[in-house]
Amino acid sequence: MNETPSPCPKCSCEYTYEMNALVVCPECAHEWVPSEAATEGGGAPEERVVRDAVGNVLHDGDDVTVVRALKVKGSPSGIKAGTKVRGIRLVDGVDGHDIDCRIDGFGAMQLKSGVVKKA
Ligand SMILES: [Zn+2]
């Protein structure tokens, strides 16, 4: 009985620890109930599916369009709806930001898949 808590589902931090019935992440302070089904061997690793605002499955390298205006820290205008984003990369980001990308005029940033549509 020497179980290692599973990595944080929010930020993938591996230095999680158990506290009472919960697992706690020191990176993002996320707390969750460890799943009991995950430890038995034989199960195929779950493929994470990222979908855009209308339900299309997104893949690494896809081009997408931002479907609504987004505020950006330090930018007076933010990202406008309709902005094209090329070559996205799917990540397991903090706070549900599952797309890593580069936007002209803004640079590298992370977006939530729910604010884009496959181009
Ligand atoms: Zn975390």
Side-chain angles (χ1 to χ4, degrees):
M1 293 296 276
N2 190 15
E3 287 179 32
T4 312
S6 48
C8 176
K10 276 198 152 186
C11 71
S12 309
C13 171
E14 288 175 15
Y15 305 104
T16 55
Y17 55 91
E18 287 180 60
M19 194 171 67
N20 302 322
L22 295 172
V23 181
V24 182
C25 172
E27 285 286 318
C28 69
H30 182 50
E31 296 177 4
W32 69 99
V33 179
S35 70
E36 285 146 34
T39 46
E40 294 295 316
E46 210 168 300
E47 189 75 15
R48 210 166 57 93
V49 177
V50 176
R51 293 177 190 276
D52 69 7
V54 294
N56 293 316
V57 177
L58 297 172
H59 300 99
D60 282 353
D62 277 351
D63 295 343
V64 299
T65 306
V66 177
V67 296
R68 61 180 161 89
L70 302 171
K71 286 197 179 114
V72 178
K73 235 185 220 169
S75 163
S77 55
I79 298 169
K80 292 191 178 71
T83 300
K84 289 216 167 63
V85 184
R86 291 179 197 285
I88 62 167
R89 203 163 59 84
L90 302 181
V91 295
D92 204 358
V94 178
D95 225 12
H97 290 74
D98 40 19
I99 294 174
D100 197 37
C101 61
R102 179 168 276 281
I103 298 178
D104 289 344
F106 294 95
M109 64 173 57
Q110 294 194 339
L111 298 174
K112 294 184 183 182
S113 53
V115 303
V116 303
K117 196 156 80 75
K118 203 164 174 171

PDB file of all heavy atoms in Angstrom, residues 8 10-13 25 27-28 30, ligand 1:
ATOM      1  N   CYS A   8      -2.318  16.108 -11.085  1.00  0.00           N
ATOM      2  CA  CYS A   8      -3.443  17.040 -11.071  1.00  0.00           C
ATOM      3  C   CYS A   8      -4.158  17.043 -12.431  1.00  0.00           C
ATOM      4  O   CYS A   8      -3.530  17.229 -13.454  1.00  0.00           O
ATOM      5  CB  CYS A   8      -2.930  18.445 -10.751  1.00  0.00           C
ATOM      6  SG  CYS A   8      -4.213  19.680 -10.836  1.00  0.00           S
ATOM      7  N   LYS A  10      -6.014  19.280 -13.514  1.00  0.00           N
ATOM      8  CA  LYS A  10      -6.108  20.652 -14.025  1.00  0.00           C
ATOM      9  C   LYS A  10      -4.797  21.125 -14.634  1.00  0.00           C
ATOM     10  O   LYS A  10      -4.764  21.695 -15.708  1.00  0.00           O
ATOM     11  CB  LYS A  10      -6.510  21.595 -12.900  1.00  0.00           C
ATOM     12  CG  LYS A  10      -7.993  21.628 -12.677  1.00  0.00           C
ATOM     13  CD  LYS A  10      -8.346  22.869 -11.895  1.00  0.00           C
ATOM     14  CE  LYS A  10      -9.757  23.308 -12.224  1.00  0.00           C
ATOM     15  NZ  LYS A  10     -10.090  24.578 -11.600  1.00  0.00           N
ATOM     16  N   CYS A  11      -3.689  20.924 -13.927  1.00  0.00           N
ATOM     17  CA  CYS A  11      -2.438  21.491 -14.417  1.00  0.00           C
ATOM     18  C   CYS A  11      -1.362  20.426 -14.609  1.00  0.00           C
ATOM     19  O   CYS A  11      -0.228  20.750 -14.931  1.00  0.00           O
ATOM     20  CB  CYS A  11      -1.933  22.588 -13.478  1.00  0.00           C
ATOM     21  SG  CYS A  11      -1.325  21.955 -11.904  1.00  0.00           S
ATOM     22  N   SER A  12      -1.705  19.157 -14.420  1.00  0.00           N
ATOM     23  CA  SER A  12      -0.781  18.044 -14.636  1.00  0.00           C
ATOM     24  C   SER A  12       0.394  18.023 -13.666  1.00  0.00           C
ATOM     25  O   SER A  12       1.358  17.308 -13.878  1.00  0.00           O
ATOM     26  CB  SER A  12      -0.217  18.041 -16.068  1.00  0.00           C
ATOM     27  OG  SER A  12      -1.254  18.123 -16.991  1.00  0.00           O
ATOM     28  N   CYS A  13       0.321  18.826 -12.639  1.00  0.00           N
ATOM     29  CA  CYS A  13       1.379  18.817 -11.643  1.00  0.00           C
ATOM     30  C   CYS A  13       1.461  17.433 -10.999  1.00  0.00           C
ATOM     31  O   CYS A  13       0.450  16.826 -10.676  1.00  0.00           O
ATOM     32  CB  CYS A  13       1.087  19.865 -10.576  1.00  0.00           C
ATOM     33  SG  CYS A  13       2.188  19.762  -9.165  1.00  0.00           S
ATOM     34  N   CYS A  25      -3.517  19.640  -5.093  1.00  0.00           N
ATOM     35  CA  CYS A  25      -2.430  20.050  -5.975  1.00  0.00           C
ATOM     36  C   CYS A  25      -1.763  21.301  -5.407  1.00  0.00           C
ATOM     37  O   CYS A  25      -2.427  22.305  -5.161  1.00  0.00           O
ATOM     38  CB  CYS A  25      -2.977  20.340  -7.363  1.00  0.00           C
ATOM     39  SG  CYS A  25      -1.742  21.067  -8.441  1.00  0.00           S
ATOM     40  N   GLU A  27       0.283  23.208  -6.956  1.00  0.00           N
ATOM     41  CA  GLU A  27       0.507  24.210  -8.003  1.00  0.00           C
ATOM     42  C   GLU A  27      -0.695  25.133  -8.172  1.00  0.00           C
ATOM     43  O   GLU A  27      -0.561  26.344  -8.172  1.00  0.00           O
ATOM     44  CB  GLU A  27       0.788  23.506  -9.331  1.00  0.00           C
ATOM     45  CG  GLU A  27       2.179  22.896  -9.421  1.00  0.00           C
ATOM     46  CD  GLU A  27       3.249  23.966  -9.614  1.00  0.00           C
ATOM     47  OE1 GLU A  27       3.010  24.887 -10.402  1.00  0.00           O
ATOM     48  OE2 GLU A  27       4.282  23.875  -8.959  1.00  0.00           O
ATOM     49  N   CYS A  28      -1.877  24.529  -8.348  1.00  0.00           N
ATOM     50  CA  CYS A  28      -3.050  25.353  -8.646  1.00  0.00           C
ATOM     51  C   CYS A  28      -4.103  25.272  -7.555  1.00  0.00           C
ATOM     52  O   CYS A  28      -5.186  25.812  -7.689  1.00  0.00           O
ATOM     53  CB  CYS A  28      -3.649  24.974  -9.999  1.00  0.00           C
ATOM     54  SG  CYS A  28      -4.410  23.344 -10.020  1.00  0.00           S
ATOM     55  N   HIS A  30      -6.002  22.969  -6.731  1.00  0.00           N
ATOM     56  CA  HIS A  30      -7.159  22.166  -7.084  1.00  0.00           C
ATOM     57  C   HIS A  30      -7.251  20.983  -6.120  1.00  0.00           C
ATOM     58  O   HIS A  30      -6.252  20.382  -5.781  1.00  0.00           O
ATOM     59  CB  HIS A  30      -7.001  21.681  -8.528  1.00  0.00           C
ATOM     60  CG  HIS A  30      -8.166  20.879  -9.031  1.00  0.00           C
ATOM     61  ND1 HIS A  30      -9.462  21.311  -8.916  1.00  0.00           N
ATOM     62  CD2 HIS A  30      -8.213  19.679  -9.651  1.00  0.00           C
ATOM     63  CE1 HIS A  30     -10.259  20.395  -9.449  1.00  0.00           C
ATOM     64  NE2 HIS A  30      -9.540  19.399  -9.901  1.00  0.00           N
TER      65      HIS A  30
HETATM   66 ZN    ZN B   1      -2.940  21.574 -10.341  1.00  0.00          ZN
END
